[in-house]
Amino acid sequence: MTTYVLAAIAGLLTGAGLIIAIGPQNVFVLRQGVARAHVVPVVVVCAISDVVLIVAGVAGLGALVAAHPGVVTIAKILGGGYVIALGLLAARRCVRSSDAIVANAHEASTVSRWAAVGMALALTWLNPHVYLDTVLTMGAIANSHGNAKWAFAIGACLASLLWFATLGSGATKLSRFFASPRSWRLLDAVVAVVMLAMGAVLIASV
């Protein structure tokens, strides 16, 4: 039981670290939330898309590992290296970045429901980084947990569901937080610590 709980916690932390970053998808969800425009369909599309990609990564890489056991070593090294690189980028943003999110509520309120859904789909599925984050990296880390890989996947999926639900429903209050570069630097510092730790653990397990 402890193994599965630890795997789920690792999935939750890793998922949060990969998802929480200034990016077009998060900016879009935040803007829709501030405008109270089509929040539910946008959040549902983003969250379900992440869940599908995470499950596909865990299952697909799992099948590959089952057929070629040696692949898991390569996956761990590549996945660990990628996660460490993300951690270093987050650390760099923490030190240098002055970025912040400006939520334009008027712009978001003029978008139709189907246009908002289409934009959410495009920002998710047409972003090449999402496949590195969810399919390759999540798949590699999940499969490093052996029989507890689906507990890891559940934790990662929960991180996505919680993040987008919080971002959409609490956008008005959160927009004040995200508008501050200092707040983003603090968040990036936490992400950097989590990513560097996860990457190191993954490579050390080879």
Side-chain angles (χ1 to χ4, degrees), residues 114-139:
W114 290 112
V117 169
M119 183 68 73
L121 287 169
L123 290 173
T124 302
W125 293 91
L126 297 182
N127 178 9
H129 291 290
V130 75
Y131 298 100
L132 286 173
D133 292 347
T134 55
V135 178
L136 177 61
T137 305
M138 288 290 194

Side-chain angles (χ1 to χ4, degrees), residues 30 34 101-103 167 170-180 184:
L30 184 64
V34 170
I101 287 179
V102 177
L167 193 59
T172 302
K173 294 181 179 179
L174 290 174
S175 62
R176 300 168 189 169
F177 174 87
F178 292 134
S180 167
W184 271 109

Side-chain angles (χ1 to χ4, degrees), residues 46-67:
C46 292
I48 290 181
S49 294
D50 266 12
V51 169
V52 170
L53 287 165
I54 291 169
V55 170
V58 175
L61 208 56
L64 183 61
V65 168

